[in-house]
Amino acid sequence: MAVTDIAAPPARTARRKRMRRPDLASQWQLMWWKFRRHKLALFGLVVLGLFVLMTMFAEIIGPYPPGQRDTKYVAGPPMMPQIVDTAGNWHLPFVYGVKGVRDSKTLRMTYVADTAQLWHLELFVRGTPYKLFGIIPGDIHLFGTDQGSVHLFGTDFTGLDIFTRSVFATRASLGVAVVGVAVSFILGAAIGGAAGYFGGAFDNLVMRLIEFIRSIPTLPLWLVLAALLPRDWGALQTYLAITIILALLGWTWLARTVRSKLLATRHEDFVLAARLSGCSDTRIIARHLLPSFMSYLIVDTSVAFPEILLAETSLSFLGLGLREPVESWGVLLYAAQSIRSISQAPWLMIPGVFVIVAVLAFNFVGDGLRDAADPYSRS
Amino acid sequence: MTASPDFPVLDVSGLSIALDNDGVQVPITQDVSFSIARGEVLALVGESGSGKSLTALSLLQLLGHGLSVVAGQIQFQARDGGRTDIARLGRSGHAIEALRGARIGMIFQEPMSSFSPIHTIGAQIAEVVEVHEKVGRKEARRRAADLLGKVGIPDPVGALDRYPAQFSGGMRQRAMIARALVCGPSLLIADEPTTALDVTIQGQILELLRALKRELGMAILFITHDLGIVAQMADRVAIMYSGRIVESGPVRDIFRHPAHPYTRALLDAVPRLGDIDRGRRIQPIAGSIPNIFEVPGGCRFHPRCPVAVLPRCAASAPPRHSSGRHEVECIHGETELAP
Amino acid sequence: MIRFLTRRLGYMALTLLLVSVVSFVIIQAAPGDYAEIYAAKKAATGAVITQADIEAMRVELGLDQPVYVQYVRWMWNALHGDFGMSWAWKRPVGEVIAERLPVTLAIAFATLLFMYAVSIPVGIYSAVRRYSVGDYAFSILGYVGLAIPNFLLALVLLYWSQQYLGQSVGGLYSPAFENAPWSWGKFVDLMAHLVVPVIVLGTSGTAFLTRAMRAAVLDELDRMYVLSARASGLSPMQVLLRYPVRTALNPIASTLGWRLTYVISGAPIVGFVLALPDTGPLFLNALLNQDMMLAGAMIFIYCALTIIGTFVSDVLLVLLDPRIRLE
């Protein structure tokens, strides 16, 4: 039979040249292309990047050292930067000065804006010296005022600046999450991997254990374990212990994924092919099995972050997790525990916004990763 | 009103379906016309991707998202004489829903997934009766059992309470036929009803359909890619290629004197008894059916056609020739149709 | 079916046993035993307690026995409703818990009801009107609902109601009804007070379930049997309610036990923040005071509740889904 081969029209060929070639792309390139299409996930990634910057440069971003008390502004409300004064004149950004007024009945000090005084906001001002990363000395802060002080999120009952503390608390909050996820990752990969690899009775045992851990309410158990930590432990010891406790109950998801993927891929043709061509078990696991489900592990890991972050925050909020002088968002929220304190100083709840934003960012990124990692998801 | 005997059960003319692709209408089928008389079986034959299944779905306004009928008429006349142009009905609403299942029954290729796995067979057949006729639960179940018996399911009353998973593929397709016929439709659309079945069961199902047609007197639109089945089942055949009907006519004419090169290629691809003795090999059709976005100009078959006359076949659409009820769209039509 | 039930029951018994061991380990893990704590308390009030007194008390309480004997005793007593004494309350643990457990159960049950009542219709709506404004709005709400910690939502609602409604949402009764006998007014008052705890406790679960329901319905809508039901003349609404929704209810039902675990898990902290007269504050204060007899018993009860809940949901799933039943 004569078959006439029709050439594609020239316009089409030209366009094709500029097109991406999914047939030639690596697995990671494909994932990145799909991930990029997920706008919320990109946004989440940017937010997480900002958080990482915050942990690195907290000393610069925070206008004051986290332990500096402003005795002239105790339990003061957030100061709102302005550009127009009461007379309608335009200025560079400023905050109003404050006047302390003592309530004649309750004898409590309250603060009102003093519209006669304008404290101008400035970028890169010299302030309290610090050592960045513990070694580089400096005294430049991202912003500050020419006179008086600025407390964007107000101060707590001891005069500490809530904005500065929230920025510094990013370190402990994300630190616990990262270490906790890392530990549960190792636990999950090791236990799940062993279960999937050895199979049989061991696999059965592990699966029952996972089911058991999943069927019990985790938060109360976390609370109990945290409560059992000796009270005389130092802040750092408690920090490590809490991280490990969180990881101890968080590894089950990952273990299950590793196991099921291992079982599913163990009998794939490419593994058999590798075995026939003389690869060792270790090489098969490291070079063939692991890469084939690495994307799923990353997705599961991204899901574990918000869980651990929320657990740490809840524990610390109740006074059973991290403790002063370690600062996490949960530790800051501990001050907002009673209705009395939040009715006097509702801005004590602001660190909670950081928690919500971080969890949202993690969830967005997790969703984006999940879609990107699924080879069958429609583009 | 009674049905006018000269008017066919279904008369499709100029039917075009298009896919909305970001505001651009991409044609899927063009100018499809055929008709089916009472008690007649029309086979719509084509490769996958030829548009035959979408044509079938459009007859019930069941096209998926983005697909729509953009031109043409679908005149349907039920046994009681009511005449409707289905092309003018909406996708939902009482008018079309009263036709579906009651006047026009449809069975699909996949007997495995055409029933919901968590409802009983009986419930899924009886509900069709309940939806269309004012009858009670009991009566609907009786009718369902009746039909199950008719399609050859043993212990039909007991079968009512069984789940699809408890049925074999062939049994499920029988139940599917029962569901499509329970309200006594005038037309049955069978979309590759035997493709997913074993060969022996295929034969049984075809035999059942023939028997039911004789008993119940409905017309059948039989969609298939298997010419062997066409020879057994059909009275007339329409051959579809890339969204157009390229040849149609009585089954005898098509098999004895195929006029379109595509039809001949299809027939050559069918193994026949005695081929081996005569040293004949099955001839596969070179190339493949065009992608809907890259339909060639002129005659759509010309890139694969062994007798194409270039550049004429690539430049303009082929003329339509007919002799009696045998019609063909080909540049060689006139000479091929000559007796 | 019978085989499934017996196997599932056996598994449940085994899990309960394991949980009881965990609870007992928690009680044992606290520094000092009951006799020591008791002695320390007594000594603080000035009473003279000798080592011999402590030993005598140990023998009396069976604390001199090996650990496994103690465990069996504790377990045996627990089966009869005796969880030992809470030294913080100076009352039997069982009694203290029994007073407050009904409130916890009422809140948990109301929360489950709320979660399903909201998530099922919203999930169906979002699936059917995919990518509509409503779908987007619900999914944004869902994201926020998943991200906000329970206690923070509780705090915000507390603050908000205090500032703008001028009333406290803490507790379960208004002061006027606190000690009043049961009446219609008191019931309405109770319901009004339940709204906030239920919303706080149910938000993240509702967000999660809505997503699951949306995905399940979307998955079902593409099925062949939906098309074949449409071809049989069922209207879109009939098809939706008979098939995809019914099928999608299975995964929802199977999450029931798991959701209960979530609700029970979040309950203590919400009860604590909202100052509810349920087991939440009881449990947390027991932890803060290291009143481990009480805390261990609470853990056991929390776990038992979720284990029973999981069992119920498994049985429910089997009843709903013939595919599993027929296996």
Side-chain angles (χ1 to χ4, degrees):
Chain A
M1 262 184 198
V3 178
T4 323
D5 196 358
I6 41 160
R12 198 183 298 278
T13 348
R15 204 169 341 127
R16 201 166 283 162
K17 258 180 205 147
R18 261 175 279 126
M19 254 169 48
R20 295 202 201 94
R21 293 292 302 271
D23 46 334
L24 300 179
S26 76
Q27 180 195 2
W28 301 106
Q29 259 173 319
L30 282 173
M31 268 183 77
W32 172 238
W33 289 345
K34 276 199 221 165
F35 183 84
R36 266 202 325 204
R37 243 176 267 146
H38 208 294
K39 290 287 174 293
L40 281 176
L42 271 188
F43 174 73
L45 203 62
V46 170
V47 170
L48 290 184
L50 288 180
F51 274 123
V52 171
L53 286 181
M54 244 189 240
T55 62
M56 288 164 70
F57 303 108
E59 281 86 356
I60 299 179
I61 296 168
Y64 309 105
Q68 185 172 311
R69 293 174 204 279
D70 187 345
T71 48
K72 293 199 200 85
Y73 200 65
V74 175
M79 295 174 175
M80 192 65 79
Q82 321 264 341
I83 43 171
V84 187
D85 68 16
T86 42
N89 300 317
W90 290 75
H91 297 269
L92 289 170
F94 67 91
V95 292
Y96 286 120
V98 287
K99 276 192 299 215
V101 186
R102 200 170 284 283
D103 191 307
S104 56
K105 269 183 286 180
T106 61
L107 297 181
R108 250 190 339 118
M109 201 64 158
T110 51
Y111 299 92
V112 290
D114 179 1
T115 50
Q117 279 188 71
L118 306 187
W119 296 345
H120 288 276
L121 287 177
E122 288 169 352
L123 283 177
F124 303 111
V125 294
R126 282 185 192 283
T128 322
Y130 51 79
K131 281 209 172 78
L132 197 59
F133 307 125
I135 35 171
I136 309 166
D139 60 354
I140 304 284
H141 293 263
L142 183 62
F143 66 94
T145 47
D146 54 348
Q147 51 177 323
S149 58
V150 58
H151 301 287
L152 288 181
F153 294 169
T155 57
D156 68 5
F157 291 112
T158 57
L160 294 171
D161 180 49
I162 292 176
F163 176 78
T164 306
R165 297 192 82 201
S166 298
V167 170
F168 275 85
T170 311
R171 286 186 178 160
S173 284
L174 293 191
V176 168
V178 168
V179 178
V181 167
V183 174
S184 41
F185 186 90
I186 294 168
L187 275 176
I191 298 175
Y197 195 79
F198 294 116
F202 182 73
D203 178 38
N204 221 329
L205 190 77
V206 169
M207 290 316 288
R208 293 291 91 76
L209 182 68
I210 289 176
E211 266 172 40
F212 174 68
I213 291 180
R214 290 250 193 104
S215 71
I216 55 181
T218 35
L219 196 62
L221 211 62
W222 268 324
L223 291 172
V224 170
L225 292 177
L228 286 175
L229 294 180
R231 291 299 153 94
D232 47 5
W233 277 14
L236 190 71
Q237 245 175 327
T238 316
Y239 181 105
L240 285 176
I242 292 287
T243 312
I244 290 171
I245 287 174
L246 294 180
L248 273 182
L249 296 175
W251 57 270
T252 54
W253 290 104
L254 209 86
R256 241 179 125 111
T257 309
V258 173
R259 172 192 170 269
S260 63
K261 294 292 164 203
L262 206 62
L263 283 182
T265 40
R266 199 162 62 161
H267 302 293
E268 291 275 345
D269 286 346
F270 69 87
V271 176
L272 184 66
R275 186 158 290 148
L276 287 178
S277 45
C279 290
S280 69
D281 275 0
T282 357
R283 191 183 158 81
I284 289 174
I285 290 179
R287 299 278 308 177
H288 297 274
L289 290 181
L290 239 116
S292 75
F293 55 79
M294 200 58 190
S295 53
Y296 293 94
L297 295 192
I298 289 172
V299 171
D300 267 25
T301 313
S302 76
V303 174
F305 271 104
E307 201 185 344
I308 290 198
L309 184 64
L310 283 176
E312 183 274 319
T313 309
S314 301
L315 249 58
S316 305
F317 165 75
L318 290 170
L320 286 166
L322 306 185
R323 284 199 290 268
E324 302 270 8
V326 170
E327 289 168 310
S328 74
W329 295 322
V331 172
L332 299 189
L333 286 169
Y334 180 67
Q337 220 187 44
S338 74
I339 179 73
R340 202 143 39 93
S341 30
I342 55 168
S343 55
Q344 277 174 28
W347 48 90
L348 286 176
M349 292 189 282
I350 288 179
V353 177
F354 282 72
V355 179
I356 297 173
V357 171
V359 173
L360 271 177
F362 275 122
N363 282 345
F364 287 157
V365 172
D367 276 8
L369 283 175
R370 199 193 340 257
D371 286 356
D374 180 2
Y376 302 107
S377 80
R378 267 166 271 177
S379 57
Chain B
M1 206 162 44
T2 52
S4 37
D6 52 326
F7 193 85
V9 175
L10 185 73
D11 186 45
V12 177
S13 57
L15 182 68
S16 297
I17 301 171
L19 170 72
D20 184 284
N21 185 32
D22 285 332
V24 181
Q25 297 286 326
V26 182
I28 306 278
T29 72
Q30 273 187 341
D31 198 19
V32 169
S33 304
F34 57 84
S35 69
I36 312 173
R38 297 209 297 143
E40 191 183 36
V41 178
L42 173 73
L44 192 56
V45 181
E47 288 171 271
S48 42
S50 61
K52 58 190 195 304
S53 285
L54 288 177
T55 304
L57 286 174
S58 74
L59 301 182
L60 283 177
Q61 285 287 355
L62 282 175
L63 290 172
H65 188 75
L67 291 161
S68 55
V69 170
V70 288
Q73 293 186 331
I74 305 169
Q75 293 287 352
F76 172 74
Q77 173 172 309
R79 254 176 259 222
D80 59 9
R83 209 182 275 183
T84 330
D85 181 3
I86 295 174
R88 294 190 194 289
L89 298 181
R91 281 156 191 262
S92 57
H94 181 73
I96 184 68
E97 278 150 19
L99 289 178
R100 289 181 192 146
R103 308 291 165 82
I104 306 178
M106 183 158 185
I107 51 181
F108 296 93
Q109 182 174 350
E110 294 284 339
M112 295 297 157
S113 48
S114 293
F115 278 112
S116 155
I118 58 168
H119 297 82
T120 59
I121 294 278
Q124 296 186 62
I125 298 176
E127 82 183 349
V128 182
V129 186
E130 283 173 52
V131 162
H132 292 293
E133 296 170 31
K134 288 197 175 70
V135 296
R137 254 248 148 91
K138 263 204 164 132
E139 170 66 9
R141 269 176 73 85
R142 198 193 58 72
R143 293 262 300 273
D146 210 37
L147 249 292
L148 282 177
K150 251 187 197 136
V151 297
I153 286 179
D155 181 22
V157 178
L160 287 178
D161 294 318
R162 295 216 257 150
Y163 289 93
Q166 292 164 297
F167 274 44
S168 69
M171 282 298 160
R172 247 179 276 184
Q173 196 59 295
R174 283 172 192 265
M176 200 63 223
I177 294 170
R179 188 189 197 193
L181 298 181
V182 70
C183 286
S186 308
L187 173 68
L188 175 70
I189 302 173
D191 185 2
E192 307 223 22
T194 57
T195 308
L197 301 174
D198 288 344
V199 181
T200 48
I201 304 200
Q202 259 186 31
Q204 291 170 14
I205 296 286
L206 294 175
E207 178 53 46
L208 172 70
L209 280 173
R210 273 202 301 268
L212 287 170
K213 188 198 82 174
R214 252 178 277 128
E215 187 183 343
L216 305 172
M218 73 277 182
I220 298 181
L221 175 62
F222 200 100
I223 289 153
T224 183
H225 63 263
D226 187 338
L227 284 171
I229 291 174
V230 174
Q232 287 180 58
M233 280 294 294
D235 301 312
R236 285 190 304 118
V237 187
I239 309 280
M240 208 158 175
Y241 182 80
S242 186
R244 290 188 76 91
I245 290 184
V246 293
E247 182 171 9
S248 65
V251 71
R252 246 162 229 281
D253 294 358
I254 300 280
F255 274 77
R256 297 246 172 96
H257 311 289
H260 198 280
Y262 178 62
T263 312
R264 285 200 295 274
L266 279 179
L267 286 168
D268 282 342
V270 178
R272 259 170 246 155
L273 218 57
D275 278 356
I276 299 165
D277 303 339
R278 268 177 263 142
R280 178 178 167 274
R281 293 236 166 175
I282 293 173
Q283 294 291 319
I285 309 174
S288 60
I289 203 157
N291 178 321
I292 56 156
F293 296 104
E294 308 179 337
V295 173
C299 173
R300 288 154 187 238
F301 189 59
H302 83 260
R304 297 170 77 186
C305 183
V307 292
V309 180
L310 290 173
R312 263 176 68 203
C313 280
S316 57
R320 184 173 292 178
H321 300 280
S322 61
S323 144
R325 301 193 71 186
H326 193 171
E327 292 189 11
V328 66
E329 271 188 6
C330 181
I331 197 166
H332 305 297
E334 207 157 3
T335 43
E336 291 292 342
L337 280 180
Chain C
M1 189 65 192
I2 303 285
R3 257 190 61 209
F4 168 81
L5 268 183
T6 40
R7 211 180 49 211
R8 197 60 194 70
L9 269 171
Y11 180 63
M12 182 169 80
L14 195 75
T15 328
L16 281 173
L17 197 71
L18 220 72
V19 164
S20 75
V21 173
V22 170
S23 308
F24 185 72
V25 168
I26 285 167
I27 293 171
Q28 289 290 308
D33 60 25
Y34 185 84
E36 267 171 38
I37 295 166
Y38 183 80
K41 292 262 160 181
K42 276 283 174 189
T45 61
V48 183
I49 302 279
T50 61
Q51 198 58 38
D53 288 340
I54 295 177
E55 286 309 321
M57 198 169 169
R58 284 214 171 109
V59 173
E60 191 195 333
L61 291 171
L63 297 178
D64 57 337
Q65 306 275 332
V67 176
Y68 62 89
V69 176
Q70 287 190 45
Y71 165 72
V72 171
R73 260 173 85 133
W74 178 81
M75 193 58 222
W76 182 250
N77 288 334
L79 281 176
H80 295 81
D82 174 12
F83 287 94
M85 291 287 282
S86 152
W87 59 260
W89 289 74
K90 302 196 174 52
R91 288 172 59 198
V93 167
E95 210 179 289
V96 178
I97 294 176
E99 272 169 18
R100 287 161 168 259
L101 196 60
V103 181
T104 299
L105 288 177
I107 292 175
F109 194 69
T111 305
L112 281 178
L113 223 64
F114 165 79
M115 290 193 322
Y116 286 97
V118 173
S119 64
I120 292 177
V122 172
I124 295 171
Y125 171 84
S126 294
V128 175
R129 298 257 175 280
R130 184 154 54 143
Y131 304 137
S132 67
V133 177
D135 179 25
Y136 278 117
F138 282 127
S139 84
I140 289 170
L141 258 177
Y143 267 122
V144 176
L146 278 176
I148 188 164
N150 277 343
F151 71 86
L152 198 64
L153 188 59
L155 282 178
V156 170
L157 287 179
L158 264 184
Y159 174 73
W160 184 78
S161 67
Q162 182 134 26
Q163 288 295 302
Y164 302 98
L165 302 179
Q167 68 165 62
S168 108
V169 292
L172 274 189
Y173 307 103
S174 307
F177 289 106
E178 186 83 59
N179 296 308
W182 277 101
S183 63
W184 178 248
K186 183 168 179 171
F187 178 74
V188 171
D189 185 58
L190 173 69
M191 285 297 135
H193 277 83
L194 269 182
V195 170
V196 170
V198 162
I199 290 178
V200 168
L201 209 46
T203 299
S204 71
T206 309
F208 186 88
L209 282 177
T210 306
R211 264 185 173 202
M213 187 72 195
R214 179 180 182 273
V217 172
L218 275 181
D219 207 35
E220 293 298 323
L221 281 177
D222 279 346
R223 296 290 159 111
M224 196 65 200
Y225 63 78
V226 170
L227 184 65
S228 106
R230 295 273 284 138
S232 298
L234 274 72
S235 72
M237 203 56 187
Q238 283 170 324
V239 173
L240 189 69
L241 291 179
R242 277 180 206 221
Y243 296 99
V245 171
R246 171 66 184 74
T247 312
L249 279 180
N250 289 347
I252 294 271
S254 66
T255 55
L256 186 72
W258 187 41
R259 283 292 108 193
L260 183 71
T261 311
Y262 247 75
V263 168
I264 295 286
S265 190
I269 196 163
V270 172
F272 180 75
V273 175
L274 294 175
L276 301 176
D278 73 346
T279 52
L282 195 69
F283 177 58
L284 285 171
N285 284 322
L287 291 178
L288 291 166
N289 298 328
Q290 301 229 325
D291 184 0
M292 281 304 165
M293 268 307 198
L294 182 53
M298 278 312 313
I299 269 289
F300 179 68
I301 288 171
Y302 282 144
C303 293
L305 280 179
T306 63
I307 289 167
I308 293 167
T310 313
F311 172 74
V312 170
S313 105
D314 280 4
V315 172
L316 214 63
L317 182 65
V318 171
L319 288 180
L320 274 175
D321 195 336
R323 282 172 295 187
I324 303 178
R325 195 164 66 226
L326 293 174
E327 255 172 30

